[in-house]
Amino acid sequence: MNILLLGGGGREHALAWKLAQSARLGKLHAVPGNPGIAEHAQCHAVDLTDHGAVVAFCHEHAIDLVVIGPEAPLVDGLADTLRGEAISVFGPGKAAAQLEGSKGFTKDLCARANIPTAGYARTRSADEALAALGTFGLPVVIKADGLAAGKGVVIAQTPDEARAAIADMFAGHFGEAGAEVVIEEFMTGEEASFFALTDGATIVAFGSAQDHKRVGDGDTGPNTGGMGAYSPARVLTRDLEREVITRIIAPTVKAMADAGTPYSGVLYAGLMLTRDGPKLIEYNCRFGDPECQVLMLRLKSDLVDLLSAVAENRLAAISPPDFAPEPALTVVLAAQGYPAAPQKGGLIAGLAEAEAHGAKVFHAGTVRDGTGVLRASGGRVLNVSARGPSVRAARDMAYRAVDAIDFAQGFCRRDIGWREIAREEG
C-alpha cells in the first residue's frame, strides 16, 4: 500500500516509524514531515488547508490510505473531502471531529447520553461566564471551547484567577478557540488516557497511558501539550477499562452514529479516576502527543493492518491490537521558554549517541538548516523514548539518552513516570 501521513510532529514520527515496519507498506509519503520522518518517508510541501492540493497529491502518487495525524485538518473536514474523492482515510469527518473541536459539543453529548463527566456551563460571553462562576466551587476549571494546542485550560484556585482566565479567553488570547468558554467543576482523582479504535460500529481497545501536562517537576507551572508520558497506565485496570468502554466510549460511538455522523478513527478519552468511577475529562480525535510515542513502542501488531481496517469499515474482521507487556516511557525535550515563548533555532547534536543507550528519539519540532545542521523549530523539540522491564528501567534508559543529547537551549522534566515508579516500588 502507498500511504500518505499528514503532520510533522513527534506523534507523526512515531507513526511513520511504525508504519515503515509493515510488510504491506509500498511507499510512505509525508506532508510536511520532519527530519526524523524523512528517515522513513518521502516528505513533501503541500498546504494541508488546500483540500484540492491534497486530493491531487493522492491521485498523482496513487495513495491507497491517508493517515491524518493532527487535529486541525480533521476539524477542518479534510477526511470528508478525501472520502468524497473515494480516497481511503484514517480519521473522523468534520462533524465527528467536533468531539475535540468543541468542548461544549462534547459536554452536551455527554449530558444527552448520560456519560459520566464533570458538571459544566457553556458560555458565549464574558458576562455570561462570570455569572455562571457563582454556581461552581473552587478550584474551578476554565476551558477555551475550541482547539488551543493543549494550552486552553486554566485550573483557577481563586475567584480572581477564574475571572482573569475568562477575560483572557474572551479577549482572544487563544484566538477563535476562546469564542466560547466552558466552565467545569473540578474533579478529584488521578488522570489517565484511554485509546480505542472504532470504524463507527466495532470498538477495540488500543492501550492506555499517563501524560504529564505541567511544564515543571512535581506537576508545577502552566499546562503544556505534554512533557512526557508512559504506557500502560496500570492504575486503569482491566475492570476499569471495561467500564470506560461500556459507560463512556460505546455510548459516544452510538450517539455519533445515531446522529448520522459516525465516528471512524482513534478516540482518545482523557479520564479522571474519581471515587465514583472513571469520568470523561475530554476527547481527542487523534492519537495523543506524546502518548502515541509510547503506544507505538509497545505495539506488536501491524499498524497498517489496523488503520486500514478502520478506514475500510472491517475492524471486526481482524485480530485486536497486541501490545508488549513491558512499559514504555517518553521524555519531552523542549526549547527554553516553552510553553509561552520557546526559543527557536537552537543547535541539536548527539542523537546517535542517545540511541546507543537503547532509546528511540522521535523528532517533534526540528528542522535542518541550509547546511544540514539540525535545529529546534518548535516548543516541544524531541521525544526521547524507551521500553524496559519496569517503568523505572524505561525511565532510566530514557534519561541516559537525554543526557547524551547536546541541546544547550533545551530543558525537560526530570520526574516523568514518578507516580507509577512509586507504585512499583511501594
Side-chain angles (χ1 to χ4, degrees):
M1 296 180 69
N2 294 329
I3 296 177
L4 172 61
L5 173 64
L6 303 184
R11 167 184 48 232
E12 289 78 32
H13 186 186
L15 291 171
W17 174 76
K18 195 64 184 178
L19 290 168
Q21 298 171 28
S22 174
R24 294 185 60 195
L25 181 67
K27 177 79 173 181
L28 181 59
H29 298 269
V31 173
N34 65 35
I37 294 171
E39 298 173 5
H40 312 289
Q42 184 177 350
C43 297
H44 308 265
V46 179
D47 182 0
L48 295 184
T49 66
D50 186 342
H51 292 195
V54 177
V55 169
F57 181 95
C58 291
H59 289 317
E60 179 183 352
H61 295 274
I63 297 300
D64 299 298
L65 174 66
V66 178
V67 178
I68 303 179
E71 61 274 23
L74 294 169
V75 172
D76 189 41
L78 180 56
D80 297 315
T81 301
L82 292 166
R83 291 189 179 105
E85 296 289 333
I87 298 168
S88 186
V89 57
F90 178 84
K94 181 174 185 174
Q98 288 182 90
L99 286 172
E100 179 168 4
S102 169
K103 295 176 180 64
F105 172 89
T106 298
K107 300 297 284 191
D108 288 349
L109 182 147
C110 289
R112 292 193 305 271
N114 198 30
I115 294 169
T117 188
Y120 74 103
R122 190 174 182 181
T123 67
R124 293 169 177 82
S125 71
D127 288 343
E128 188 179 356
L130 290 171
L133 267 183
T135 64
F136 293 86
L138 292 171
V140 63
V141 183
I142 314 294
K143 294 182 176 180
D145 178 72
L147 299 180
K151 304 178 188 71
V153 178
V154 174
I155 300 173
Q157 303 291 335
T158 68
D160 285 346
E161 288 180 7
R163 287 190 286 266
I166 289 168
D168 286 346
M169 290 180 187
F170 281 112
H173 286 207
F174 296 99
E176 294 182 2
E180 293 188 20
V181 169
V182 175
I183 303 172
E184 294 184 7
E185 68 170 321
F186 179 80
M187 294 189 289
T188 301
E190 188 166 345
E191 290 189 37
S193 301
F194 180 76
F195 299 82
L197 298 180
T198 180
D199 55 11
T202 300
I203 300 168
V204 298
F206 195 80
S208 63
Q210 283 192 295
D211 189 14
H212 298 64
K213 284 293 186 189
R214 300 279 189 166
V215 74
D217 287 5
D219 292 327
T220 58
N223 275 331
T224 71
M227 294 299 293
Y230 60 89
S231 174
R234 290 179 177 137
V235 68
L236 200 58
T237 64
R238 289 193 176 185
D239 285 346
L240 286 177
E241 286 192 358
R242 283 192 287 268
E243 184 177 351
V244 169
I245 291 175
T246 301
R247 299 189 63 203
I248 297 176
I249 303 293
T252 300
V253 172
K254 182 179 186 302
M256 297 304 291
D258 289 348
T261 56
Y263 189 98
S264 176
V266 60
L267 194 54
Y268 161 9
L271 305 168
M272 185 68 75
L273 307 182
T274 75
R275 288 181 297 179
D276 299 322
K279 293 186 178 183
L280 181 70
I281 301 172
E282 61 187 32
Y283 277 127
N284 290 330
C285 59
R286 35 73 190 182
F287 291 107
D289 189 353
E291 294 92 343
C292 182
Q293 290 80 315
V294 288
L295 290 172
M296 292 304 114
L297 277 185
R298 296 184 54 236
L299 181 64
K300 296 166 65 178
S301 304
D302 187 310
L303 185 61
V304 172
D305 283 345
L306 291 167
L307 302 192
S308 60
V310 171
E312 296 163 12
N313 300 310
R314 52 180 182 82
L315 187 56
I318 69 166
S319 299
D322 183 22
F323 288 90
E326 296 86 5
L329 180 145
T330 189
V331 177
V332 171
L333 262 176
Q336 290 291 345
Y338 178 77
Q343 301 175 21
K344 299 182 181 181
L347 294 172
I348 303 167
L351 300 193
E353 290 81 356
E355 294 195 336
H357 288 282
K360 175 63 185 173
V361 180
F362 295 114
H363 292 238
T366 67
V367 66
R368 293 200 183 276
D369 65 18
T371 66
V373 172
L374 192 67
R375 294 182 180 273
S377 64
R380 293 185 295 169
V381 179
L382 298 170
N383 308 140
V384 185
S385 312
R387 199 177 92 191
S390 65
V391 175
R392 175 177 282 279
R395 182 204 66 178
D396 291 348
M397 189 185 304
Y399 279 115
R400 283 194 295 271
V402 166
D403 292 338
I405 294 173
D406 183 5
F407 178 29
Q409 291 180 314
F411 76 98
C412 67
R413 280 183 58 163
R414 304 296 305 195
D415 64 346
I416 302 302
W418 65 270
R419 288 184 186 87
E420 190 58 33
I421 291 170
R423 281 190 281 263
E424 281 182 349
E425 299 176 353

